Amino acid sequence: MRTQETTGMFLYHPGNGHLDKLNFTELFAYSESHEDVAVVWDSKTFPLWDIEYLKSQIQKYKLSRIIIAGYDTGMVKPIFARVFSNLQLNVENILLEDFKEHGILESGNTELGKALLSCAIYNVALEDILPDEEKKVCTETLIIGAGIAGIQAALEIANANHKVHLIERTGTIGGHMAMFDKTFPTLDCAACILTPKMVEIGQHPSINLLTYSEVQSVTGTPGNFKVKVLQKARRVSLSKCIGCGSCAEKCPGKARSEFDVGTTFRKAIYIPFPQAVPNKYLIDAEACRYVQGKKCGVCVKNCPVPGCIDLDEKDSEIELCVGNIIIATGFKTFEATKLANYGYGSFPNVLTSLEFERLTNAAGPTEGKITFRTQNKKGDWIFSPQSDSPERVGIIHCVGSRDINHNQYCSRVCCMYSLKLAHLVKEKIPDAEVYEYYIDMRSFGKGYEAFYERIKSEGVHLLRGKPAEVRMDENNLIIRSEDIDGRRLLEQKVDMVILSVGLEPAAGSAEIAKLCGVTTDSDGWMDEANYVTSPVNTFAEGVLIAGLCQGPKDIPDTVAQASAAASEVLQHIVRTSMRKNIPELPLAEIRTRAKNLSLKMEDRK
Amino acid sequence: MSQRINPELKKELLKFGAKDWNDCYHCGNCTATCQLTEREILFPRKAIRQAQMGLTESLASNADPWLCYYCGDCSDTCPRDANPGEIMMTLRRYLTSVYDWTGFSGMLYKSAKAHIVVMLVLFLSVVAAFLIFGGPMITELTSDGGVRLNTFAPAEIIAGIDHIVLLTLSFFLLTNMINMYYKVVLKDKTVHIPWYLYFTEIGEALLNFGTQLRFSKCNKSRMYWFGHWFLMIGYVTMFVLIIFFLSWFQTDNINVWYHPQRLIGYIITAGFLFGTIFFMIGRIRKKKQIFKHSHHSDWIFVVLLFLVAFSGILIHIFRINGLPFATYYTYVAHLAFEIPMVVTFVAFSKWSHLAYRPLAIYFSNMKKKTRELQLKSKLSVSY
Ligand SMILES: Cc1cc2nc3c(=O)[nH]c(=O)nc-3n(C[C@H](O)[C@H](O)[C@H](O)COP(=O)(O)OP(=O)(O)OC[C@H]3O[C@@H](n4cnc5c(N)ncnc54)[C@H](O)[C@@H]3O)c2cc1C
Ligand code: SF4
Ligand code: SF4
Ligand code: SF4
Ligand code: SF4
């Protein structure tokens, strides 16, 4: 059939800069070099809006088939359709080849553009002409980061009976959510939702959990990535450890607990928190006396399982072959010491929100009692259940966010979690006064505005105005702000200040993005292929993003995105073929193969 | 209190120097950062709000911009880079034009061209006046070898002209001050100031005029406060010398170097030269917050002040070294720079803040006291 059609090519570039990276002159010349193309038009010089002219041109070249290639090609299709039906030509012979869908706009890969043009001219799909061995894809999936995003995606893929390698940098999975007591807006107990999922991950036959591990390199092609993973030595056997904790009892090594964001101490041999998955101990090499070259080994003596602790274990490296990668590396919180005017780091009872989450957590350092940070016998500042409780608490929003001097974006969750924290203070210390300082209250989600109203009705003082400073007199912290609604300058005395710090991409996420070929925006968040229509894909084929690594969001949105990423991976697995970013075949070969394939298809007809 | 919204206000204000009024998202950080705000005296955010909303009347009766000394703290920490400090500066220019019933001030501020043309006309008038009325240019020197400047430009006559200029400008400045009083106090119907406060509050306003102590409250600006205070003292001394003691100051005698006439002259001129060079470099470098944005009136002012001081010291050098023509010409130039500067800046531009700022403090304090009294009487009723 095709051989009877006369094809015209219309290269459409709307001049909005989207195609700037492609060499259009080359694409034009390449299109013209096809003997099966009667004419090539450039939208820049072709008076498309002159219908009569278009009609005369189509008649002149006796065209019966048109390929519109370029950007936003759907925009101009109606014009051709009108002329085609006018001339009683088959409208179905107007084909669109939109570069937007192939991720070549960003990469500026003109060669791939040419390959796509050849395929369009011969009406075949690029993946159909690739050699068989290149089509084979691996069905295993790599997930980097085991916060709620990584956990959710891993479970969904694994429950569809596909193998998942879940890599987590710390000693346990769970991410930030595991640190919280309650979650807004439902005030569900975070652990009650998360722990069952974590346990499921630990036991799932299709999930290969690699904690205390990091990705070293990613090579290969979409569908066939080779990934090198560094497994840091835990020095305690995952299979043998029974989690009894005898080893830690007399361990002399000490370090600040990462899980409690440094508000308490743990031993050198430790379990991150009681519900950690895997529920096994590990050794922090930097804090361990033996590893640091001193005499010790107390833990080995006290461990009831022979051969469980291997103080000399070395880091190891393994290699995986995976078809798809989901990045779910999450976030870190804004470094509050950057804002000297709020006194974090100088005044012990100015806390970050994350520290307060631990303080108020029933499984936290004070068993959920909200107390002052005090010095222990050695002079270290820690939270301890023996100290007094505050009577007046200030909460400051937008710390490091929406600020041209720091992060310009809104971190999106801090308004809501601040309200949650205000509620938790009121719940635990009913007589406490809570002063919450905000610029705008962003309660954007389902049920969120109702949550805001509820907190207001609980008697929290909600004050509009960004405080300029927190200072201290003998006994009080003083927050100075303009009370905008009250039309006065306010110097409020409080006992404790919580800084609602904003969110930033996790440490090391730039490196991960680079390894996987994913681009990031100016704030460091990973770029999705299309914010509206393709929020979990990236410009790197076969690499998906889920959760905070893409941008600030709350847990419900994180989970939704993780599910979307999982479904995308499952689609790829089912399709079992992937369109490659750059075919390894030379262009001439692609062209011949496309032509032969189209001839073959015609013969079959 | 209802008032009309003036949608053109923003456009109007832009001509007074600000860049953009819409960056501000009203977080209140600036008001809280400023060390000069008080429980009920809230700026700069409130004034920015009035400006954004086109509340011409509220702005006209708002004296807060005069309470700001432009330390720049608020601009440094503004999360939107909205430059609240510069907006206050712009509002001071705008308010100067609001108080000025002649409209001359607005013209000078809004158009650099107009300002320069006015300057040129005045400059040429002074030169012309000297050509027509100037005394003989004698080359014969005094016994100690100095130029006989007072023959060419007798101090009594120059002083007389000074007095006329001064009286005229005082008339404009005073009427403008009364206009300010009308706008800020009489038109503000929310407070009725009891008469005795007019007497009890005047002390602090005068003290502030003399010391600018309020300014020293600003966080990091002790140095800047001192510089500003020094400059102000310099202006005032120079003024007093020129207006009341010109014949003592503009003498043909060559006094010994430590004679007060020479010493005072040296100190003030050095201060002016140093100050203006410092400001010019600052405005070119744009490092400090207060120097980041320069309005044409700022430039015209420093350049003229520099020229006046520089020509002043040249006259002195030429005179005592017996160079008659150089002395006469620079003297003409000196006055031709000085008269336009005084005429345009004293009552209609920058310098008028010397009057408006203490007045604003005076009015603000009276209003504050009145409010406190009102609050007290309300409380005593409810008890
Ligand atoms: C104080 C506070 C309170 C909050 N309260 C709520 C709330 O009440 N309700 C709500 O809906 N949302 C809340 N949020 C938001 C919520 O924390 C996030 O939406 C959610 O945790 C995002 O999950 P995540 O898996 O994307 O990221 P994370 O939880 O950050 O998990 C990322 C995981 O990846 C690991 N990782 C990072 N880099 C690497 C790497 N290179 N290699 C291997 N592993 C890596 C990390 O160790 C971590 O385990 C709150 C946030 C904060 C800061
Ligand atoms: S060897 Fe290390 S981990 Fe074991 S008890 Fe000693 S310090 Fe602790
Ligand atoms: S969510 Fe609220 S507190 Fe957080 S940055 Fe946005 S506005 Fe500020
Ligand atoms: S000027 Fe800046 S600091 Fe002041 S209210 Fe506006 S945004 Fe906030
Ligand atoms: S510039 Fe300084 S004095 Fe003026 S409003 Fe800002 S902080 Fe206050």
Side-chain angles (χ1 to χ4, degrees), chain A residues 301-313:
Chain A
K301 275 186 218 128
N302 286 331
C303 176
V305 188
C308 173
I309 302 175
D310 173 7
L311 289 172
D312 297 313
E313 189 189 322

Side-chain angles (χ1 to χ4, degrees), chain A residues 528-569:
Chain A
E528 61 289 311
N530 185 304
Y531 188 72
V532 181
T533 54
S534 175
V536 294
N537 288 85
T538 64
F539 296 123
E541 184 111 39
V543 182
L544 303 133
I545 45 177
L548 253 291
C549 65
Q550 181 253 353
K553 59 176 70 66
D554 53 12
I555 296 168
D557 286 359
T558 299
V559 170
Q561 212 180 27
S563 293
S567 99
E568 198 67 40
V569 166

Side-chain angles (χ1 to χ4, degrees), chain A residues 402 404 465-466 480 482 488-489, chain B residues 25 27 31-32 34 45 79:
Chain A
R402 302 183 67 197
I404 223 155
K466 180 183 168 76
R480 181 178 162 105
E482 180 183 359
R488 59 190 172 152
L489 192 79
Chain B
Y25 65 6
C27 65
T31 309
C34 179
R45 193 194 62 81

Side-chain angles (χ1 to χ4, degrees), chain B residues 138-196:
Chain B
I138 48 172
T139 46
E140 182 196 333
L141 302 179
T142 58
S143 52
D144 39 13
V147 176
R148 293 177 185 271
L149 178 58
N150 279 301
T151 317
F152 173 64
E156 308 82 61
I157 297 179
I158 299 292
I161 296 170
D162 281 353
H163 291 156
I164 295 168
V165 172
L166 175 83
L167 276 176
T168 326
L169 291 178
S170 303
F171 167 73
F172 286 116
L173 188 59
L174 257 172
T175 44
N176 287 348
M177 283 159 73
I178 292 169
N179 198 11
M180 173 183 183
Y181 171 69
Y182 168 71
K183 295 222 146 80
V184 175
V185 179
L186 294 186
K187 275 190 102 180
D188 183 352
K189 296 279 180 273
T190 56
V191 279
H192 295 283
I193 299 173
W195 60 270
Y196 58 89

Side-chain angles (χ1 to χ4, degrees), chain B residues 139 141 144-147 254 316-325 327:
Chain B
T139 46
L141 302 179
D144 39 13
V147 176
I254 300 177
H316 176 73
I317 294 170
F318 293 152
R319 182 176 71 81
I320 57 177
N321 287 306
L323 300 167
F325 286 105
T327 312

